[in-house]
Structure formats: C-alpha cells, structure tokens
Amino acid sequence: MFKRASGVLVHPTSFPSRYGMGDLGAQAYKFIDFLKEAKQKLWQVLPLGPTGYGDSPYQSFSSFAGNHYLISPDELKKQDWLTEADLADVPLSDPRSIDFGSAIIYKMGLLKKAYENFKINATAAQKKHLTKFCKEHKEWLDDYALFMAIKGHFIDLRKNDLECPLENKDLYYGATWSSWPEALAKREPKALKEISEKLSDEIDFCKFLQCEFFRQWGELKKYANNAGVQIIGDIPIFVAGDSADCWAHPELYLLDKNGHPTSVAGVPPDYFSETGQLWGNPLYDWDAHKKTDYSWWCKRVSAVLTMVDIVRIDHFRGFETYWAVPAKEATAVKGKWQKGPGKAFFAALKKQLGELPIIAEDLGEITDKVTALRTGQKLPGMKVLQFAFDAKEANVNLPHCYEDNLTVVYSGTHDNNTTRGWYDEASEDERDYLRRYLNVSGGDVSWDLIRLAFSTSAVFAVVPIQDIMGLGAADRMNSPGLASGWWRFRYTGDMLSPAYAERLAYLTELFHR
C-alpha cells in the first residue's frame, strides 16, 4: 500500500501569519510549494480538531470537527465576508511563539464579524453550500454545534457574573458538560429543544465555522495532492472527557451517573516521566463498542480519511492493552494494564471500510503481543532516531536493527526535543555513540539524523521542520507530562530557506525516496 517516500512534520499553527497563529492561508500554500521543490511526498500534521484547555491538539472538543482557529482571515476576505478595514488593526504578536489566549480572542472577533456579514451578504451559491454541508455532516455536526453553543452560553454567564443554577459558579468557567444542569448533561429532549431554540444563532455560527474550515482545508488538501504531496493525519486513540463525543454518546465510555470518568487514560513511568503520564481521558467501554461492531470508531476513521490521505493512530498499543488509572489519582503510577479490543477492532474496520492507510504509533513500552497485533494487520510502526543511541545492545531504533521496511522513521516527533536540543542535553555516552555510528563530528547533528533517516530501509522517513532548520530546545513543540506552555512553536517566512529544499531534494534523490 505504501511506497518509499519522505516528508516533513509541521502543524498548521506553526506557519507564519500576522494573526497570532498559523492558518490555512497563503503561508500554508507556500509550505506546499516548498515540499514540492524539495521533492517531498509527505506532509504530516497533528490532529486537526478544535482545541480546548491547554491548547493541545490531542484534547479536542470533537473527533469529527475541524479547528476553526485555523480558518484564514485572508481567505474570508476573498469571500467578501471581511473587508480590508476589518483586517487593518491586527495586534502585535511574537512571530516565533503563539500566545493562544490573545490570538483566539482576536480571531474569534473576526470570525463572528465574518458570520454576521455572511448572514447579510452571502450569495445564493454560498448559502446552498452551507446547507449542503450541514446536511452531509448532520450526524456529528448537530451534536457538536449544540455542545459548543451550550458551553459558550455558560462561559458567558460566568464571565458576566449572571445568575447560574449552580451554587459554585466557578464550575461554569470552562463549562465542562458534566457541570451543566442535569437535564442538559443527560440530554433530556425537552431541555435540549428549549436550549436549541434559545441558542439558535450560536448554533448556526458554529456550523458556519465548520463549513468554512472544511472548505479551506479541502482546497489546501487538493493543492497538496496536485503537487504530489500526501497528507498524514493523526487520530488520538482517546477522546477528551469534555467533548461532544462523550456528551452525545456517554454509553461508549466508562463514566459514572454524573458523567465523570471512573478511570482515566495514561501511560506508566517511561522515558518522558518518572511518574508516568496522566492524560485524564475517559476510557472506552469496549464491550459497548463491540455490540455495535465498532460503528463509532469506523465513522471516526472514515471521517478523518476524508481530510487526509494517511492516518497515524496515536498510542496503538492501547488496542492490545491500555493503562487504566483510577480517576482520583494524582499521577499515573498506580494504574493497571487492561485488555483492549485487539484483532476484533481491526477486523471491523476492514469489514466496513476496506484496507486502510494506517500508521501505528507503537512507541513506549511495547510487548510481543502489541507487535504481533501490528504486524498481523500489516501496519507500519514507528522508530525514532533520538531513542537509538543509548548504547544498549539491539536497540530497535537503530537502523541496522530494523527487521523489515514496515517502518516509519523519524529523527524526532512532536513529543521529542528538537534534534539539536536533544543532542545538547544528551549524555556524553550517547553523543559519542552517535558520532561513531554516523562517523560525524556532531557539528550539524540535525542534518546528520535527517540523512540517516532518509538512508534507512523504512518505507517513510519524516522529519520535523525544526530539525530542517537546525533549531534548538527553545523551539520544542511539546513535552509529554507537562500540561501547559506547549504547542506554541512558530517560524517566520524567511526561515523556510530554498537552501533547505535543495538539501532535502538531494537526499531524496540519493536514497530513492
């Protein structure tokens, strides 16, 4: 299914933009042009869903919706929903780092203005497009739009210090659905009908944003595909507890009668954290999913594959066994391994969707059973070169230990330090082994690992854009286990040098990618 290729990992939020964070506008197209010039066939992104607290793409309000913060104001102007005057007074922002708080406030103001202009000035064709979109995506869009409208309603109550039906009004700041009045939290039809009528305009606004996101993303994807670039998307295995998924289908998760998780997801102590990683996501009721022949999951994978060409499923090992932590624990140390759905899950996907272009993220503590599940499905796993040089025998991340080409190799991922940052902080034994293994000085270590990745037998070689630019630890995208202050990396337009395209093109031709 996969042919030997290489590509670049960068999330759209990292693109240059005068609006505080990257978007789907001109700089996204410029990046595709860069990939084409560099002879790259892959662009890997992080999950594209709407982000919530912490701004993590892996904690989304929906598994089906798109991130409306990525909508380009310049593209809205082309639709005549914003004017030049609307875009004249853009707040100053750090071109190398995202301040999500201020950027979101500013962009939401523009998006609301665009929506008001759409209601007044939309052409018949534009209105028809929105109606068609809402009809085609009704199964998830209605629940998501209502969920976001209710959430926004209670946030506004808290901000404006208006009357709230709960004694503790602080619960409404953030407005998690389990803190809503019981009739809404439990989706009683009468209550939903009343709130839908009250918040009809907010619901329509949300649908408008989704329609515009998918329009802009669809045009960008088409441009990428026409340039010979396939997009690798990302599906987090778990959903956020505060999500339309969980609210609309609580029967699919291990929740108590009030909508709170009884146990949550994470991983035990590992390379990234001595106390493990406590993700906090609710766990699936896999028995309930099995009774529906994993219908929700099939719809989820199908939906993502309309947005991208290939999907990377995060935390693949959770389908074999997953780490379940009691909900009240402060760390992930006291969790237990529980049995996942295994082969039955993938049989259901294949039955309903056919052969799928899936990459399995199989990093961390991997057992023989996890490997057998992956290889039995003929899914490529992942290797990370930054993990290769600890001088242990038969380190599976060392290229000479790859058993076959059913592998996607990375210099590092979004969860790793940049290669320059990693090398600067690595032990002298690791640095020495890398220098001897590659027969290099370490003076250009980022490109040393890029060259090594491209040279391997792995079917795909993918490198973060930070490594292409030789950036240090300050430009790291994320650090697992640390809740805030991440996902902020941005680069400026002049940093995407044509010289990098030349170097990538040379390696691509040299190693037949």
Side-chain angles (χ1 to χ4, degrees):
M1 178 176 292
F2 298 125
K3 295 183 179 180
R4 186 171 172 83
S6 58
V8 178
L9 167 61
V10 60
H11 199 51
T13 53
S14 297
F15 292 149
S17 171
R18 66 191 185 109
Y19 302 110
M21 61 190 296
D23 57 39
L24 306 180
Q27 289 293 333
Y29 288 83
K30 183 178 179 180
F31 172 71
I32 298 297
D33 293 340
F34 170 86
L35 291 179
K36 183 177 181 180
E37 187 70 20
K39 301 187 183 302
Q40 300 308 290
K41 300 182 180 70
L42 303 169
W43 170 26
Q44 182 167 333
V45 299
L46 306 182
L48 292 166
T51 54
Y53 176 77
D55 308 300
S56 169
Y58 293 88
Q59 295 288 344
S60 176
F61 290 133
S62 170
S63 296
F64 297 84
N67 186 352
H68 50 276
Y69 302 139
L70 293 176
I71 292 173
S72 165
D74 293 324
E75 293 298 313
L76 292 173
K77 180 176 176 291
K78 291 179 182 179
Q79 297 291 308
D80 292 326
W81 299 334
L82 291 177
T83 67
E84 192 63 45
D86 293 329
L87 305 179
D89 190 20
V90 181
L92 292 176
S93 60
D94 185 344
R96 294 295 317 286
S97 180
I98 302 169
D99 180 347
F100 282 101
S102 61
I104 287 171
I105 290 172
Y106 173 71
K107 291 200 74 172
M108 285 304 296
L110 292 180
L111 294 174
K112 288 179 180 178
K113 185 173 291 186
Y115 171 62
E116 293 301 323
N117 288 332
F118 168 85
K119 289 192 292 184
I120 298 170
N121 302 321
T123 65
Q126 289 170 336
K127 292 177 180 178
K128 183 178 180 180
H129 176 72
L130 176 57
T131 300
K132 182 182 178 182
F133 174 85
C134 292
K135 183 178 181 180
E136 290 177 347
H137 297 272
K138 179 179 177 63
E139 186 171 4
W140 65 265
L141 182 59
D142 285 359
D143 283 326
Y144 170 71
L146 179 55
F147 173 85
M148 294 300 288
I150 297 173
K151 174 180 284 293
H153 171 66
F154 286 125
I155 290 175
D156 286 343
L157 285 181
R158 175 65 180 87
K159 285 181 177 178
N160 296 317
D161 200 31
L162 300 175
E163 182 179 354
C164 292
L166 289 184
E167 290 183 9
N168 186 356
K169 290 189 290 186
D170 287 339
L171 289 175
Y172 279 87
Y173 192 77
T176 57
W177 68 265
S178 57
S179 75
W180 297 348
E182 185 176 3
L184 293 177
K186 295 187 175 181
R187 297 175 57 85
E188 294 179 7
K190 181 180 178 181
L192 293 187
K193 183 176 184 297
E194 291 177 351
I195 199 74
S196 295
E197 292 173 352
K198 181 176 182 178
L199 303 178
S200 61
D201 194 55
E202 289 83 353
I203 292 169
D204 288 344
F205 173 51
C206 183
K207 292 180 178 181
F208 165 79
L209 294 182
Q210 286 304 300
C211 182
E212 183 58 15
F213 168 85
F214 277 92
R215 186 191 69 81
Q216 290 191 16
W217 177 258
E219 291 186 358
L220 181 63
K221 181 180 183 295
K222 182 179 179 180
Y223 188 82
N225 291 163
N226 287 341
V229 174
Q230 289 188 303
I231 299 176
I232 302 176
D234 198 322
I235 298 180
I237 184 174
F238 298 114
V239 305
D242 188 25
S243 66
D245 308 298
C246 218
W247 176 63
H249 300 285
E251 73 281 0
L252 298 178
Y253 307 91
L254 298 178
L255 307 175
D256 64 19
K257 63 180 181 179
N258 296 315
H260 301 134
T262 55
S263 56
V264 297
V267 291
D270 61 7
Y271 170 89
F272 290 110
S273 174
E274 294 181 356
T275 58
Q277 298 175 43
L278 187 64
W279 298 334
N281 307 74
L283 297 172
Y284 294 108
D285 184 337
W286 283 118
D287 289 337
H289 281 270
K290 184 177 181 179
K291 290 176 182 177
T292 68
D293 203 19
Y294 304 97
S295 173
W296 180 88
W297 257 101
C298 290
K299 292 173 183 176
R300 183 188 191 189
V301 172
S302 178
V304 174
L305 279 172
T306 65
M307 301 171 66
V308 300
D309 303 292
I310 302 165
V311 292
R312 167 194 179 271
I313 298 184
D314 193 49
H315 196 59
F316 173 83
R317 77 145 302 151
F319 294 108
E320 201 285 317
T321 47
Y322 57 91
W323 191 248
V325 183
K328 295 182 180 180
E329 288 293 322
T331 73
V333 172
K334 295 184 179 180
K336 293 182 179 179
W337 290 112
Q338 302 287 349
K339 191 65 178 174
K343 295 179 182 178
F345 173 84
F346 293 98
L349 286 183
K350 185 175 182 179
K351 175 184 174 183
Q352 297 180 50
L353 303 176
E355 296 289 344
L356 297 172
I358 292 175
I359 297 169
E361 187 273 286
D362 58 344
L363 305 175
E365 184 179 337
I366 300 301
T367 66
D368 290 342
K369 289 183 178 180
V370 176
T371 300
L373 178 63
R374 178 182 64 78
T375 57
Q377 305 303 317
K378 296 182 173 57
L379 302 178
M382 288 175 54
K383 306 297 182 189
V384 178
L385 293 177
Q386 287 184 24
F387 296 156
F389 301 102
D390 58 8
K392 294 179 182 177
E393 290 186 19
N395 185 315
V396 296
N397 291 285
L398 285 168
H400 72 264
C401 294
Y402 297 175
E403 294 181 357
D404 52 42
N405 68 348
L406 208 60
T407 294
V408 180
V409 64
Y410 296 80
S411 52
T413 73
H414 65 277
D415 280 336
N416 291 91
N417 203 337
T418 67
T419 291
R420 168 53 62 187
W422 164 78
Y423 184 79
D424 289 344
E425 298 173 11
S427 68
E428 181 52 37
D429 286 344
E430 288 178 291
R431 291 197 294 264
D432 176 66
Y433 189 29
L434 178 147
R435 292 190 294 264
R436 290 187 292 113
Y437 190 90
L438 276 69
N439 194 29
V440 297
S441 68
D444 194 8
V445 68
S446 298
W447 278 88
D448 291 337
L449 284 201
I450 292 172
R451 182 185 180 94
L452 179 62
F454 278 44
S455 73
T456 67
S457 62
V459 64
F460 290 163
V462 180
V463 294
I465 199 165
Q466 293 97 315
D467 287 354
I468 292 170
M469 296 174 175
L471 302 176
D475 289 299
R476 181 173 185 160
M477 189 64 162
N478 183 46
S479 184
L482 299 178
S484 61
W486 302 102
W487 316 107
R488 298 175 180 272
F489 166 71
R490 300 175 72 191
Y491 67 88
T492 57
D494 61 325
M495 293 172 67
L496 199 64
S497 168
Y500 297 142
E502 291 178 11
R503 293 184 76 174
L504 286 172
Y506 171 77
L507 294 178
T508 302
E509 292 179 337
L510 181 65
F511 296 115
H512 303 289
R513 291 196 176 274

